[in-house]
């Protein structure tokens, strides 16, 4: 597929509806992590530099079609003004006469922020009336919200059908990085997948065994795979009802030629707490009263060897209980190895999804990765091989309705 970027659009004097994801953590009315906001700055700068008028469309939280005052976007205005170095005017509705009036009164050089699109029930239903009302406010639609692209909502999908559309700079960077990692990757490709449960990453693992050369499985879900091989995992987190599924994934990997790397040594403890007494044992020797909280050094060395030979890495999820030291050791070591190879120009490394960014930041490795996605759920659905509605609708080869 192909998509237009801002470079393909004539922005001068145009009203540009920009779908952004500013669903950021807020505490006591102040933004506590403005990463998602700062990464939108290139898009806003480029639109303004080309003489376009940016109108921001965004959701916040899950108000389910109701007007929930605590989920207003108004408190985000100062963080947006700081990140974009421009005045931001707020309008309390994302459609209708109020939005039209705010747009008419907008100072040149200013950015208009429209209220939470999810205050209207039509947003999540991708209602065509709401999409038309929103589209009436703009001349061009620019989607810069990859992290909401897995939602087929009026502001992510419906509006794109009604206006000339393009990807913003952040969306463009996400798509290019993801395409480089799974679309047409340089091989060998390694996927590192961790996290607690197989059940939440079933489709993802099923897709990866078809696409990657090596699949490293860590975190709690590795225990389920060990158990599927008949290994006793003691009191470890383990999804007993997923053993057949895990075995099926292992069998599928054999047919596709994907080498699966599971822990061969484990770090076990009797308590789940920072600094708990622990020991390192072979993976098949977890005591009945202990739980596996991390992979051991031999496993880390095997991961490092796979990474040494790899050209491309996709990473989602921690390798162990990274939030409690010393059970962050395998995650940190593997992340630092990936960072080192990326710095040396040997590896293209892409990471995303939920805890992953926190884990890589904690390892001090995030800054060296080739690309860190801002997306959680959308990154996972992309790893599952699903078409993302907000991306698919931008496809310039799509037959227009
Ligand atoms: C996110 O923060 O994950 C995105 O903004 C999407 O939000 P949602 O999961 O509520 O659709
Ligand atoms: Mg989400």
């Amino acid at each position: 597929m192909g998509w237009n970027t801002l470079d393909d659009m004539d922005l001068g004097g145009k009203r540009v509806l920009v779908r952004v994801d500013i669903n950021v953590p807020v505490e006591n009315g102040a933004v506590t992590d403005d990463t998602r906001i700062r990464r939108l700055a290139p898009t806003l700068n480029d639109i303004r530099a080309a003489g376009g008028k940016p109108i921001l469309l965004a959701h916040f939280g899950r108000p389910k079609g109701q007007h929930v005052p605590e989920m207003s976007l108004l408190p985000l205005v100062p963080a947006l003004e700081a990140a974009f170095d421009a005045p931001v005017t707020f309008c309390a509705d994302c459609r209708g006469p109020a939005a039209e009036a705010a747009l008419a009164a907008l100072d040149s050089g200013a950015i208009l922020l429209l209220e939470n699109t999810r205050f209207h029930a039509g947003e999540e239903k991708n209602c065509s009336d709401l999409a038309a009302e929103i589209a009436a406010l703009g001349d061009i639609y620019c989607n810069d919200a990859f992290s909401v692209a897995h939602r087929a909502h009026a502001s992510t999908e419906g509006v794109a059908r009604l206006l000339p559309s393009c990807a913003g700079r952040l969306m463009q960077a996400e798509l290019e990085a993801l395409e480089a990692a799974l679309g047409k990757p340089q091989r060998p490709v390694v996927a590192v997948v961790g996290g607690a449960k197989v059940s939440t990453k079933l489709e993802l693992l099923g897709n990866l065994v078809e696409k990657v050369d090596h699949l490293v499985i860590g975190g709690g879900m590795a225990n389920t795979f060990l158990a599927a091989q008949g290994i006793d995992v003691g009191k470890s987190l383990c999804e007993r009802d997923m053993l057949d599924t895990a075995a099926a994934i292992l069998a599928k990997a054999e047919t596709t030629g994907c080498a699966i790397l599971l822990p061969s040594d484990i770090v076990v403890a009797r308590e789940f707490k920072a600094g708990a007494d622990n020991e390192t044992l072979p993976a098949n020797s977890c005591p009945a009263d202990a739980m596996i909280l991390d992979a051991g050094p031999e496993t880390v060395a095997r991961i490092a060897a796979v990474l040494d030979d790899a050209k491309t890495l996709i990473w989602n999820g921690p390798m162990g209980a990274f939030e409690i030291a010393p059970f962050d050791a395998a995650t940190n070591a593997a992340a630092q190895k990936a960072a080192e190879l990326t710095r040396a120009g040997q590896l293209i490394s892409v990471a995303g999804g939920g805890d992953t960014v926190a884990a890589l930041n904690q390892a001090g490795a995030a800054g060296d990765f080739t690309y860190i996605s801002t997306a959680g759920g959308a990154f996972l659905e992309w790893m599952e091989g699903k078409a993302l509605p907000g991306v698919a609708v931008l496809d310039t080869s799509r037959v227009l309705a």
Side-chain angles (χ1 to χ4, degrees), residues 164-231:
S165 299
C166 70
R169 298 300 183 206
L170 178 57
M171 172 74 91
Q172 188 185 340
E174 295 269 3
L175 295 177
E176 284 167 5
L178 301 190
E179 185 65 11
L182 264 197
K184 295 182 205 82
Q186 292 182 41
R187 292 188 180 274
V189 185
V190 180
V192 170
V193 180
K197 292 183 173 174
V198 176
S199 51
T200 58
K201 298 206 178 156
L202 201 54
E203 290 180 72
L204 182 153
L205 294 167
N207 183 44
L208 289 178
V209 294
E210 287 176 12
K211 299 216 169 119
V212 306
D213 304 296
H214 296 268
L215 175 58
V216 176
I217 300 177
M221 69 168 71
N223 306 335
T224 303
F225 280 90
L226 293 175
Q229 293 176 316
I231 292 173

Side-chain angles (χ1 to χ4, degrees), residues 312-333:
T312 305
L313 165 69
I314 311 159
W315 186 314
N316 171 261
M319 292 291 93
F322 82 100
E323 36 327 21
I324 50 168
F327 308 106
D328 54 352
T331 302
N332 290 345

Side-chain angles (χ1 to χ4, degrees), residues 19-24 36 59-62 118 124 147-151 153 374-378:
R19 181 48 160 109
V20 293
D21 187 358
I22 48 177
N23 196 23
V24 294
R36 276 182 170 173
H59 73 283
F60 189 75
R62 292 179 175 168
R118 290 187 185 172
E124 296 192 49
S147 45
V148 209
H150 54 323
R151 311 288 183 214
H153 293 175
T374 53

Side-chain angles (χ1 to χ4, degrees), residues 177 180-181 186 310-314 341-342 345-350 370:
Q186 292 182 41
K311 292 259 172 36
T312 305
L313 165 69
I314 311 159
L341 292 169
T342 308
Q346 288 183 44
L347 187 68
I348 294 168
S349 50
V350 176
T370 311

Side-chain angles (χ1 to χ4, degrees), residues 232-236 240 268-270 281 285-291:
D232 188 349
V233 294
K235 289 215 161 82
S236 304
R240 303 269 160 210
V268 306
R270 266 86 186 165
L281 299 167
S285 309
C286 181
D289 64 344
M291 59 193 141

